[in-house]
Amino acid sequence: QECAIQEYLKHQNIVALYEYCETDDEIIIYMEKISDCNYFEVKLCERKREIKNEDKIRRYVKQILVGLSEIHRNGIIHADLKLDNLLLHREEGKDPVVKICDFGISQTINVVDEDGVAKALMKLRSGTAAYIAPEIKGNNKLVNDIKY
């Protein structure tokens, strides 16, 4: 499901998946090459250095939100958004671009309640413990008010 979802999503703030193939032993994935894929993880987690430039932070956050909006608009919930899954691509002469990756535990919105509101059914609690939304406390939880 991860490969199918990521291949389907085509957006500048989502890492492009060009092709994938499965064998009995492995899945081979051909993805967009990202120039500075560990920027956020190294700068913020390992070095524990803040990004002091507020304009840069605003640009990065806006790009993350635009990418998430595209994911939600397509009826998908990432379910594991964290620094490790936010990559920074730099090209000479262009502004850096934040790209979202790793759709391994993403969920599709597949439940509509009696009011016609789309919801995702989180069958299993999944995600990285420190990043799980507080409303997801156990299995078989409906994520309310999905806006896309």
Side-chain angles (χ1 to χ4, degrees), residues 12 18 32-36 60 88-99:
Q12 68 179 7
Y18 300 123
E32 175 180 12
K33 182 179 179 181
I34 304 297
S35 62
D36 199 357
Y60 292 164
L88 191 66
H89 183 64
R90 300 174 194 264
E91 274 186 63
E92 192 171 326
K94 296 183 179 179
D95 288 337
V97 177
V98 178
K99 300 204 176 239

Side-chain angles (χ1 to χ4, degrees), residues 14-46:
I14 299 170
V15 175
L17 188 150
Y18 300 123
E19 189 175 344
Y20 65 96
C21 58
E22 296 182 48
T23 69
D24 291 338
D25 301 323
E26 62 188 353
I27 298 174
I28 301 166
I29 302 173
Y30 298 96
M31 300 172 71
E32 175 180 12
K33 182 179 179 181
I34 304 297
S35 62
D36 199 357
C37 59
N38 294 323
Y39 174 79
F40 295 109
E41 182 183 1
V42 169
K43 180 152 184 113
L44 300 174
C45 291
E46 291 177 18

